[in-house]
Amino acid sequence: MIIVKNPEKKDWASICERPSVPQQNLQSLVNKVFAKVKTSGDKAVANYTKQFDKVVLSELRVPETEIQKAIETVSKDLKKAIQLAAGSIQKFHKAQTPQKIEVETASGVVCWQEARAIERIGIYIPGGTAPLFSTVLMLAIPAVIAGCNEIVLCTPPDKNGNINPAILYAANYVGVTSMYKVGGIQAIAAMAYGTATIPQVNKIFGPGNQYVTAAKQHASQLGVAIDMPAGPSELLVLADESANPAFVASDLLSQAEHGADSQVICVVTSEKLIAEIGEKIEQQIKVLPRKDIATQAINNSKFIFLHKDQDCINFINEYAPEHFIICSKKEDFYIQNIRNAGSVFIGNYTPESAGDYASGTNHTLPTNGYAKSYSGVNLDAFLKKITFQKITPKGIQNIGPSIELMAEAEGLQAHKNAVTLRLKNLEND
Amino acid sequence: MIIVKNPEKKDWASICERPSVPQQNLQSLVNKVFAKVKTSGDKAVANYTKQFDKVVLSELRVPETEIQKAIETVSKDLKKAIQLAAGSIQKFHKAQTPQKIEVETASGVVCWQEARAIERIGIYIPGGTAPLFSTVLMLAIPAVIAGCNEIVLCTPPDKNGNINPAILYAANYVGVTSMYKVGGIQAIAAMAYGTATIPQVNKIFGPGNQYVTAAKQHASQLGVAIDMPAGPSELLVLADESANPAFVASDLLSQAEHGADSQVICVVTSEKLIAEIGEKIEQQIKVLPRKDIATQAINNSKFIFLHKDQDCINFINEYAPEHFIICSKKEDFYIQNIRNAGSVFIGNYTPESAGDYASGTNHTLPTNGYAKSYSGVNLDAFLKKITFQKITPKGIQNIGPSIELMAEAEGLQAHKNAVTLRLKNLEND
C-alpha cells in the first residue's frame, strides 16, 4: 500500500481522486443494440444472447420447472442463511415506510405528501464467477415492501443456458414476479422498451460491467430511471489504537478481492498501525483464492496518517467513501460528523461483509465520491412521493391575492386569471 | 383542442405520447464549453457571457450593493406576496424532515438511517421574459431547511448586465449564499467544475432551455447530481359535471401560456363539458397577452371523453401528468387511485397556479411521463440518507455463520474471512 503521512490539505483532492477507469466508447454499440431491440424485440434479444453469451435458448423466460429445480438444488444451510439475511433486510427496509405528511400551510389550504410505489421495476444481476444472489435480496425485498406490481429480473445465462440456482432460489423466495435469461446491453434495452416476453419497466436497478453501465445511462435518457451511476467498489477504514489490526486487514482485503480496480483506503491516527495492519495483510492475502486480484487492488491502495480526528473526518468527508468502517475510541465523534458516506460500520465486530449480506442495510451504495450527492438504495428508491393540495373558498381568498401579484410579476397573466376568476366568483356569491 | 371519445385501450399509449421536441445535437457544443470552463475557469465563463449574452461584466458575482438596491426596488406588495408564499413553502417542506430510523434487525445487530444535507447545491434560474423568482423559493427554501452549507444561484444577465430585482430579492430573502450573473451551458459547467469565483456544487437544480438541459445531463455524467430530466410543462384536468367550466378553462390556459409545446389534457366523464369548457377557452384566450403561445398549445391539446371513472384513472396513470387537477364529485376515488403524477390539485378552488406559487407544495415536478419513476423536488432532494450498523460480539455470533455461508457461495473468500477471524477471536476469549 502507498503510505501518505500528514498530507497537506491542498493535496487531499488528488489523494481522493479515484483512478480513472479507461472508458471505451460504447455509445455506438449501445445505440445499435437498443435500436435492434426496439424494432425486433425478443428476436433481437435472442440473437444478441447467441452472439455475446454463446448460447441459443428455446425461451427467454425462466420456466417454473427450472425455478422448482433450483429450489431443490440449493443446500438447506444456504437457504437458511438466505432466509436469515432476508429477514434482517426486510425489517430494516420496512421500518423506512414513509408516513403521509399533512400540513395546513395557510387557513383553508391543506397540503400533503403520499408515497406511491413505482409500478414496474427491473433488476439486473451480472453473470460471471460470483453469483450475486445477495444483490437479488437487496433489490427485490424493498421493491416488494414498496408495493411494486412487477419485479422483473434479468441475468445472463451460462454457456449451457443455465442460471445459478441460488439466484433463482433467492428471487423466488423474496417475490420477484418474473425472471429472464438475458444479460448485457440487450437486457437493459429489453427492460427499457419492453418486448413480447420481457415487460417494460419504469426503473432499472443493479450492478454490471461497463456495457451494462453504459446501457443504463442510455436508458436513463429515454425516461427510464436508474438506481445510480456505478463505479468500482471502495472501502475506507478509520482506525486508532483501539482497532484490531488483523480485523482491519481482513476488511481491507474483503474489499480488495472485488476487483483489481477496487479502492481501499486506511486512515490511521496511530502511526504504528500502518506496519501492524500491513503485516496482517501480507499474512492473510497469501491464502486467498482471489489473491492476484486482491494484490493489485492493495498495491494501489493507501494508508493515510493524520494526527487529529478533525482532520481525519474532514478528509473522509472529502473522499466520501462507499463503505466507511470506524474502529476508534471516538466513534461517536465520527458518527456525528460523517456527512458523505454510503454505509457506515462501527466497531471491531462490524465487518463490511455484514452489510454486504445480512445486517439489514442495503449494499447498493454510491461509489466514486457520489456519496456527496446520492443516497444508497433504500425503500425511497422504489417509491415516488406525490404532493396533494386542497383549497377551500376561504383558502383561495387568503392566498389568492399573493398568487395574482406573483403571477403578474412573472408575466404569466393566465396564471393570474385562474385565481382572479375564482375570487370574483366568490365575491358574487 | 382535439376531441377523442371513448378511445380503445390499445390507442392509449399513442394518445399519451408527448410530441417529440426536435432535439438539436448539442453534445459537441456542451463538450467544448465544459472543456474551456474546466481549463480557463472565470475567463472562459466571461468570454461565453460576452459571446452568448452580449454583455461584458466587470465581475461575475452579484455584489452586495446590487442586492441591496434590488431590495429597495421591489414593491412592498410583491415583497409581502413573496413572504407569504415563502412561509407556506417553508411549512410544508419543514414537515418533510426525516426522522432517524433505528431497528435491531437481529439480537446484537443495530441498524439505523440518518439524513445528511448535500453540502453544496446550485440553482439555475433561466433569464428571458419571465423572471422566475418563484423557482428561487421552490429550490432555495428546502435547501436551507435541509442544511446545505452553500446555496449557489446562477442566472443570466440581461444586455445591460442586470438581474431582475425580484430574483435577487427572493434569493436574498430565503438565504441563497451567493449569486452569479452567468447563464447557459457555461453556468452549469462552472457549477460542475468550480472556478476561482463560482463554487463547485454537488447537485444542480432548476429549469432551463435545451442548452441548459443538455449541460445538466452532461454534468450528471461527471458525478454532479441533477434534480431530474426536464421537459415541457403539462397539465391534466379530470372534470365531471360538478366542475366549473370557466375555472377548468382558466387552468388549461394557465398551462398553455407556458409555451407552444405545453401539454394540456382534459379528461371528462360528461360529454357536454367538452363544448362548455371549449367555449370558455375561446372567451378567455382572447385577452391573454401570451395569446399566440397559448393558442398553439391549445390546438395540440386533447379532450378525452371516457364513461367510467375506473377508465379515467387508468388512463391518467398511463399518462402520468406533471400537474393533475381533480374536479369531480368522486375526488376521493381519484386521490386513492392516482399512482403516477407530480402534484395533485383537488376541487374547484384549487387552481394549478396555487401550487406554482403559494400553496406550499413544490412546483419543480416530473414531466414527460417521468412521474412514473420520479418524485418532484421535495426536501429529500437536498438530503442523502446514510445507513449505519453496529454489531456486538454476540451479534456477529448470531449472523456471522450465515454471512460465511453466503460469502462462500458467492465465491468471495475474503468476505468470509473477515467474519471467520472475528468469530475465532471470540471463541478464544
Side-chain angles (χ1 to χ4, degrees):
Chain A
M1 284 173 76
I2 299 154
I3 297 170
V4 186
K5 291 186 187 173
N6 293 312
E8 285 187 61
K9 192 133 197 219
K10 67 173 175 56
D11 297 326
W12 287 12
S14 70
I15 297 171
C16 288
E17 230 169 65
R18 275 62 166 182
S20 65
V21 183
Q23 289 280 348
Q24 264 186 278
N25 190 349
L26 302 170
Q27 199 54 53
S28 64
L29 180 62
V30 168
N31 287 345
K32 191 178 135 194
V33 175
F34 268 70
K36 278 275 184 198
V37 171
K38 190 178 182 183
T39 52
S40 308
D42 287 336
K43 204 180 141 195
V45 172
N47 282 343
Y48 285 121
T49 303
K50 187 178 163 193
Q51 185 183 334
F52 297 131
D53 301 306
K54 314 291 179 208
V55 55
V56 176
L57 297 171
S58 56
E59 52 182 338
L60 296 174
R61 182 164 177 163
V62 181
E64 190 55 33
T65 49
E66 215 166 307
I67 297 169
Q68 289 309 321
K69 207 177 135 202
I71 295 173
E72 287 163 29
T73 310
V74 175
S75 78
K76 213 170 162 182
D77 283 348
L78 185 55
K79 277 182 192 162
K80 270 196 187 161
I82 289 174
Q83 289 168 11
L84 177 138
S88 296
I89 298 164
Q90 252 151 8
K91 271 187 209 160
F92 187 58
H93 288 78
K94 193 147 199 174
Q96 295 168 27
T97 306
Q99 301 300 308
K100 177 179 173 181
I101 290 163
E102 187 171 310
V103 183
E104 189 168 9
T105 54
S107 179
V109 181
V110 177
C111 297
W112 70 97
Q113 186 193 55
E114 289 184 50
R116 297 285 194 270
I118 296 175
E119 295 193 66
R120 296 186 301 273
I121 68 116
I123 296 174
Y124 185 83
I125 300 295
T129 48
L132 300 181
F133 56 84
S134 60
T135 305
V136 178
L137 304 182
M138 294 293 174
L139 298 176
I141 289 172
V144 170
I145 294 169
C148 301
N149 284 345
E150 283 200 60
I151 303 167
V152 171
L153 184 144
C154 286
T155 189
D158 66 17
K159 277 174 190 140
N160 303 314
N162 296 322
I163 307 292
N164 186 288
I167 289 178
L168 297 182
Y169 169 75
N172 181 71
Y173 179 71
V174 299
V176 166
T177 53
S178 59
M179 310 171 206
Y180 303 89
K181 297 180 183 180
V182 190
I185 302 171
Q186 64 272 25
I188 306 302
M191 292 193 280
Y193 291 127
T195 70
T197 306
I198 301 171
Q200 184 185 36
V201 303
N202 306 119
K203 189 168 184 178
I204 299 173
F205 294 80
N209 59 19
Q210 56 178 335
Y211 296 93
V212 171
T213 301
K216 280 172 68 186
Q217 285 278 14
H218 188 76
S220 77
Q221 311 223 351
L222 302 172
V224 181
I226 60 171
D227 46 1
M228 69 185 84
S233 191
E234 47 191 48
L235 167 68
L236 186 149
V237 179
L238 176 282
D240 69 8
E241 61 277 17
S242 73
N244 179 319
F247 293 179
V248 172
S250 73
D251 291 327
L252 296 173
L253 286 172
S254 76
Q255 188 57 38
E257 78 172 338
H258 271 303
D261 54 2
S262 284
Q263 287 296 296
V264 179
I265 305 264
C266 185
V267 178
V268 292
T269 55
S270 156
E271 217 170 332
K272 72 179 173 66
L273 270 176
I274 297 175
E276 289 172 5
I277 295 168
E279 197 182 306
K280 296 290 180 187
I281 289 175
E282 273 186 47
Q283 282 171 22
Q284 294 177 23
I285 205 167
K286 284 181 197 148
V287 294
L288 287 183
R290 288 168 166 256
K291 185 172 60 182
D292 293 345
I293 288 172
T295 303
Q296 285 178 65
I298 285 291
N299 286 345
N300 289 321
S301 296
K302 291 167 193 147
F303 275 114
I304 317 279
F305 167 67
L306 285 164
H307 276 288
K308 292 183 198 157
D309 291 290
Q310 187 62 54
D311 286 338
C312 290
I313 191 69
N314 290 348
F315 176 83
I316 294 162
N317 279 324
E318 170 105 12
Y319 184 77
E322 181 192 13
H323 304 99
F324 172 34
I325 296 181
I326 305 171
C327 292
S328 164
K329 293 189 304 285
K330 297 180 192 158
E331 62 184 38
D332 288 341
F333 168 81
Y334 287 96
I335 294 169
Q336 272 168 36
N337 291 292
I338 183 69
R339 294 193 62 149
N340 303 322
S343 193
V344 182
F345 302 78
I346 302 151
N348 278 322
Y349 286 94
T350 312
E352 189 214 298
S353 41
D356 288 337
Y357 293 105
S359 64
T361 61
N362 210 292
H363 78 197
T364 308
L365 296 167
T367 55
N368 201 24
Y370 291 0
K372 289 178 181 175
S373 37
Y374 291 90
S375 307
V377 166
N378 53 27
L379 188 64
D380 281 348
F382 300 87
L383 297 168
K384 304 150 295 153
K385 288 175 181 172
I386 303 181
T387 54
F388 296 82
Q389 50 247 289
K390 188 171 179 178
I391 305 178
T392 63
K394 191 82 201 144
I396 198 71
Q397 286 175 325
N398 280 335
I399 66 169
S402 292
I403 299 169
E404 289 178 295
L405 268 166
M406 292 173 77
E408 177 140 31
E410 288 194 353
L412 295 171
Q413 192 63 38
H415 282 65
K416 182 184 175 184
N417 284 359
V419 173
T420 308
L421 211 64
R422 285 164 166 98
L423 293 181
K424 280 202 179 138
N425 196 283
L426 290 170
E427 270 173 33
N428 298 338
D429 264 7
Chain B
M1 284 173 78
I2 298 153
I3 297 170
V4 186
K5 291 185 187 174
N6 293 312
E8 284 187 62
K9 192 131 196 219
K10 69 174 175 52
D11 297 325
W12 287 11
S14 70
I15 296 171
C16 289
E17 230 168 66
R18 275 62 166 182
S20 65
V21 183
Q23 289 280 347
Q24 264 186 278
N25 190 349
L26 302 170
Q27 199 53 52
S28 64
L29 179 62
V30 168
N31 288 345
K32 192 177 136 195
V33 175
F34 269 69
K36 277 274 183 199
V37 171
K38 189 178 183 182
T39 52
S40 307
D42 287 335
K43 205 180 141 196
V45 172
N47 283 343
Y48 285 121
T49 302
K50 188 179 163 193
Q51 185 182 334
F52 296 132
D53 301 306
K54 314 291 180 209
V55 58
V56 176
L57 298 171
S58 56
E59 52 181 339
L60 296 174
R61 182 163 178 166
V62 181
E64 191 55 34
T65 50
E66 215 167 305
I67 297 168
Q68 289 309 319
K69 208 177 132 199
I71 294 174
E72 287 162 26
T73 311
V74 175
S75 78
K76 213 169 160 182
D77 283 348
L78 184 56
K79 276 182 195 163
K80 271 196 189 162
I82 289 174
Q83 289 167 12
L84 178 138
S88 296
I89 297 164
Q90 252 151 8
K91 271 187 209 161
F92 188 56
H93 288 78
K94 193 145 197 174
Q96 295 167 26
T97 306
Q99 302 300 308
K100 177 179 172 180
I101 291 163
E102 187 171 310
V103 183
E104 188 168 11
T105 54
S107 179
V109 181
V110 177
C111 298
W112 70 97
Q113 186 194 57
E114 289 183 51
R116 297 284 194 271
I118 297 175
E119 296 194 65
R120 296 185 302 272
I121 69 116
I123 297 175
Y124 186 83
I125 301 294
T129 49
L132 300 181
F133 57 83
S134 60
T135 304
V136 178
L137 305 182
M138 294 295 173
L139 298 176
I141 288 172
V144 170
I145 294 169
C148 301
N149 284 345
E150 284 200 60
I151 304 168
V152 172
L153 185 145
C154 286
T155 188
D158 66 18
K159 275 172 191 142
N160 303 313
N162 296 322
I163 307 292
N164 185 289
I167 289 178
L168 297 181
Y169 170 75
N172 181 71
Y173 179 71
V174 299
V176 167
T177 52
S178 60
M179 310 171 206
Y180 303 90
K181 297 180 183 180
V182 190
I185 301 171
Q186 64 271 25
I188 306 301
M191 292 192 280
Y193 290 127
T195 70
T197 306
I198 301 171
Q200 184 185 37
V201 303
N202 307 120
K203 189 168 183 177
I204 299 173
F205 294 80
N209 59 21
Q210 57 178 334
Y211 296 93
V212 171
T213 301
K216 280 172 68 186
Q217 284 278 11
H218 188 75
S220 77
Q221 311 223 350
L222 302 172
V224 181
I226 60 170
D227 46 0
M228 69 185 83
S233 191
E234 47 191 48
L235 167 67
L236 187 148
V237 179
L238 176 283
D240 69 8
E241 60 277 16
S242 73
N244 179 319
F247 292 178
V248 172
S250 74
D251 292 327
L252 296 172
L253 286 172
S254 76
Q255 187 57 39
E257 77 172 340
H258 270 303
D261 54 2
S262 283
Q263 288 296 297
V264 179
I265 305 264
C266 186
V267 178
V268 292
T269 55
S270 155
E271 217 169 334
K272 74 182 171 69
L273 271 175
I274 297 175
E276 289 171 5
I277 296 168
E279 197 182 308
K280 297 291 181 187
I281 289 175
E282 273 185 47
Q283 281 170 22
Q284 294 176 23
I285 205 167
K286 284 182 197 148
V287 293
L288 287 183
R290 288 169 167 255
K291 186 172 61 181
D292 293 347
I293 289 172
T295 303
Q296 285 178 63
I298 285 290
N299 286 345
N300 289 322
S301 295
K302 291 166 193 149
F303 275 114
I304 316 279
F305 168 66
L306 285 164
H307 276 288
K308 293 183 199 156
D309 290 290
Q310 188 61 54
D311 287 337
C312 291
I313 192 69
N314 290 347
F315 175 84
I316 294 162
N317 278 325
E318 171 106 14
Y319 184 77
E322 181 192 12
H323 304 98
F324 172 34
I325 296 182
I326 305 171
C327 292
S328 164
K329 292 189 304 283
K330 296 181 193 157
E331 61 184 39
D332 288 341
F333 168 82
Y334 287 96
I335 294 170
Q336 274 168 35
N337 291 292
I338 184 69
R339 294 192 63 148
N340 303 323
S343 193
V344 182
F345 302 78
I346 302 150
N348 278 320
Y349 287 94
T350 313
E352 188 213 300
S353 40
D356 287 337
Y357 293 106
S359 64
T361 61
N362 210 291
H363 78 198
T364 307
L365 297 167
T367 55
N368 200 24
Y370 291 0
K372 290 179 182 175
S373 36
Y374 291 90
S375 307
V377 166
N378 53 26
L379 188 64
D380 280 348
F382 300 86
L383 298 168
K384 304 150 294 152
K385 289 177 181 171
I386 303 181
T387 54
F388 296 82
Q389 49 245 291
K390 188 170 179 178
I391 304 178
T392 63
K394 190 81 202 145
I396 197 71
Q397 285 174 324
N398 280 334
I399 67 170
S402 291
I403 299 170
E404 288 178 295
L405 268 166
M406 292 172 78
E408 177 139 33
E410 287 194 353
L412 295 172
Q413 191 63 36
H415 281 65
K416 181 185 175 184
N417 285 359
V419 173
T420 308
L421 210 63
R422 284 163 166 97
L423 293 181
K424 280 202 181 140
N425 196 284
L426 289 170
E427 271 173 32
N428 298 338
D429 265 5

